[in-house]
Amino acid sequence: MNDTLDRSFDLVIYGATGFTGALVAEYLHQTQSGLSWAIAGRSQSKLDLLKDRINAPDLETIVADSESPDDMRRLVTSTRVVISTVGPYARFGTPLVEACAAEGTHYCDLTGEPQWMASIFERVSPLAEETGARLIHCCGFDSIPSDLGVFVAQQSMMNKHGLFATKVSGRMGKSKGAVSGGTVASMLLAVEQAVSDPIARKVLNDPYGLYPSELSPGSDGPDQRGVRWDDHFESWTGPFVMAAINSKVVRRSNALASLVYGADFSYDESLLVDNRRSGLLMAGGMSIGMTALAIPPLRRLISKRLPQPGEGPSVSEQENGFFEFFVHAHHPTDSEKDVRICVKGKRDPGYGATSRMLAQAGLSLAFDDLDVEGGIWTPASALGNHLVNRLADVDITFEDVSP
C-alpha cells in the first residue's frame, strides 16, 4: 500500500546538478512557490552551487550516491515523487528505480534507452505493483510528443467517428535545437551495449522490445531506414533517429491499455524532409555514423569530438528553439475522415522543452488523481489528459489540424 502522503517532500530531483536536472530545478523554483521539494546528487558542493545559481538559498538538499542502497532508500523514503535525470540510466539508473519500487515512491525519468528499460521490467514491475509505486520512463522529447500525440489523435478519432485508428503515423516536422553531452553519453552506451550484448541488441532491433512479455507482438517491422514518399503529407520522409525509442513506447502504451487500439494496431515514425536528395543524404549519414560508432576505436575518436556530459545548449539556444511533431491517424475505410494532430513546442526540444515536460510529469505524479495503480507505465498510459492539460502551461500544445 502506498504511504507517500506522510513524507517530507512532494518531489525530489535526483541528478539536479547535471545539465537537464539544473534546468528542471530552475523551472520549479521559478514557478512552483508552494511546492515542498529538494534537490539531490552526489556532491554537496555542487548542490550548493546550483542553489546559488538559481537563487534558492533555502532549498533543501540531499547527498546520495546511486551505488549506495542505503543512500537510495534514504532518498526515496523522504519524498512522494522522484524525478531522475541521472544518465546514462543503464549505468546509473537501476538502484534508484529499484528503491522507488520497493518503497512505494513514484518516479519519472528521461531515459531513451530501451535496452535498459527492458532489462528491469520483469524484476521491478511486480514490486511496484505491490507497493503502489508508479514508475514512468521516457518523460521528455522522447517520448512525450509521440506517445501523447497518438493518445490525443485517438481521442479525436473516437470523438469524431466512434472508433480508434488501427494505423497511426508520426512525422517529425521542423525543429531547432542542440544536443547535450548527457544525450550523447546515453547514445554511445546504447551502441556499445548493442555491439557487446546480444540481449540488448535484440531489444534495440525489436519493434516490440518494450511489449509486455505475455502478449503476442503485432505486425510492425523495423523503423524506417531509407527514403519514402508520404501521400498524406505530400512529402518525402527519411529516418528519424528517435523513432527507435518512440515507436516502442507508443506500442507499449496500447498494450498497457489492454490493446484498446486493437491487437493489430500499427505505428510508424519518420522525419519530413524537403526533398528526396536531402532524405538520401540523411539516411546515408545515419547509416555511416552508426556503422562507425559500432567500431570501438572510431567510437572513442568520435566521442571526443562530441559534447561531453554536463555540456549543452546556451540559454539563447534553448529559448529560441522549437519543434513540431505530427500524428496522423488513418481512418480504416475513409481517408477523408483521417485525423491529424500537431504537437507544437516552444524552446529547443531536447532541453528547454524537455526539462519542462519532465517537471510537469513529476508534478502530475505528485498531485493529479491518476487512474492507474503501481507498475511501470508510459506517459500516455499513466498520465494521459492530466499531462496534456499541464503541458499547455509550458507552451506545448496538441492542435487538431486534420486535413
Side-chain angles (χ1 to χ4, degrees):
M1 184 71 179
N2 192 293
D3 62 353
T4 56
L5 291 177
D6 300 327
R7 302 192 179 177
S8 301
F9 303 110
D10 294 321
L11 185 152
V12 170
I13 306 169
Y14 186 59
T17 59
F19 192 87
T20 306
L23 293 178
V24 177
E26 184 173 28
Y27 169 75
L28 290 178
H29 177 60
Q30 292 174 348
T31 63
Q32 305 296 317
S33 58
L35 184 68
S36 172
W37 65 294
I39 53 175
R42 291 181 297 175
S43 167
Q44 183 66 60
S45 61
K46 290 183 178 180
L47 291 169
D48 290 339
L49 285 172
L50 176 59
K51 289 171 58 175
D52 290 341
R53 174 181 148 192
I54 66 175
N55 193 27
D58 298 325
L59 183 60
E60 298 274 2
T61 62
I62 301 171
V63 177
D65 190 323
S66 63
E67 295 184 359
S68 167
D70 289 342
D71 281 4
M72 290 297 94
R73 184 179 185 281
R74 178 170 51 84
L75 168 66
V76 305
T77 54
S78 72
T79 183
R80 298 168 54 220
V81 176
V82 172
I83 290 177
S84 174
T85 61
V86 180
Y89 291 88
R91 184 166 289 155
F92 303 114
T94 302
L96 177 56
V97 175
E98 291 177 334
C100 285
E103 300 298 336
T105 302
H106 307 315
Y107 164 98
C108 58
D109 67 26
L110 288 173
T111 188
E113 304 165 48
Q115 81 286 3
W116 172 67
M117 296 162 61
S119 74
I120 66 172
F121 279 172
E122 289 189 8
R123 183 173 71 258
V124 173
S125 189
L127 198 56
E129 291 169 11
E130 182 180 337
T131 64
R134 302 179 181 112
L135 314 176
I136 311 178
H137 301 299
C138 305
C139 292
F141 186 59
D142 50 342
S143 301
I144 280 178
S146 304
D147 199 31
L148 284 186
V150 171
F151 174 81
V152 172
Q154 292 283 33
Q155 282 189 315
S156 181
M157 181 67 81
M158 177 58 73
N159 290 338
K160 289 181 176 181
H161 307 302
L163 49 76
F164 291 121
T166 56
K167 178 174 175 53
V168 178
S169 301
R171 297 290 179 261
M172 185 65 198
K174 298 183 183 300
S175 66
K176 182 180 179 183
V179 178
S180 88
T183 296
V184 170
S186 293
M187 179 187 70
L188 292 174
L189 181 60
V191 173
E192 180 182 329
Q193 291 181 323
V195 171
S196 62
D197 183 347
I199 296 176
R201 183 164 61 249
K202 182 179 184 297
V203 171
L204 288 165
N205 291 330
D206 182 359
Y208 294 88
L210 298 182
Y211 229 51
S213 59
E214 65 271 17
L215 293 180
S216 298
S219 59
D220 279 343
D223 297 312
Q224 181 174 325
R225 296 178 181 175
V227 180
R228 298 176 189 169
W229 175 259
D230 187 322
D231 283 332
H232 297 282
F233 285 86
E234 297 184 336
S235 172
W236 288 99
T237 65
F240 180 40
V241 67
M242 300 179 76
I245 178 64
N246 294 340
S247 59
K248 292 178 176 63
V249 171
V250 168
R251 295 179 191 115
R252 179 172 173 81
S253 286
N254 180 48
L256 293 178
S258 301
L259 299 173
V260 66
Y261 307 147
D264 57 346
F265 172 71
S266 176
Y267 179 74
D268 68 279
E269 191 166 293
S270 59
L271 174 71
L272 299 174
V273 295
D274 292 334
N275 50 59
R276 185 171 183 271
R277 181 176 181 274
S278 62
L280 287 170
L281 288 171
M282 178 173 296
M286 282 182 59
S287 178
I288 293 170
M290 294 307 292
T291 301
L293 288 173
I295 302 170
L298 289 178
R299 184 167 63 245
R300 288 192 291 270
L301 184 65
I302 293 169
S303 67
K304 292 178 181 178
R305 289 163 171 76
L306 295 172
Q308 300 302 303
E311 298 178 359
S314 67
V315 173
S316 175
E317 288 173 323
Q318 293 171 43
E319 291 300 318
N320 292 321
F322 66 91
F323 72 87
E324 59 179 19
F325 183 85
F326 298 95
V327 177
H328 191 99
H330 304 261
H331 191 280
T333 60
D334 186 352
S335 62
E336 292 187 359
K337 295 181 179 179
D338 286 2
V339 167
R340 184 178 298 175
I341 300 297
C342 180
V343 187
K344 288 186 178 180
K346 294 183 179 179
R347 305 176 186 88
D348 81 296
Y351 300 91
T354 276
S355 58
R356 288 161 174 79
M357 291 185 214
L358 181 61
Q360 289 296 338
L363 292 169
S364 184
L365 279 170
F367 298 113
D368 292 339
D369 184 14
L370 305 179
D371 295 330
V372 297
E373 303 297 329
I376 300 180
W377 300 95
T378 58
S381 63
L383 305 179
N385 281 316
H386 295 288
L387 187 54
V388 170
N389 295 333
R390 284 179 169 276
L391 291 177
D393 293 335
V394 292
D395 306 309
I396 298 170
T397 58
F398 297 77
E399 180 182 354
D400 193 324
V401 292
S402 300

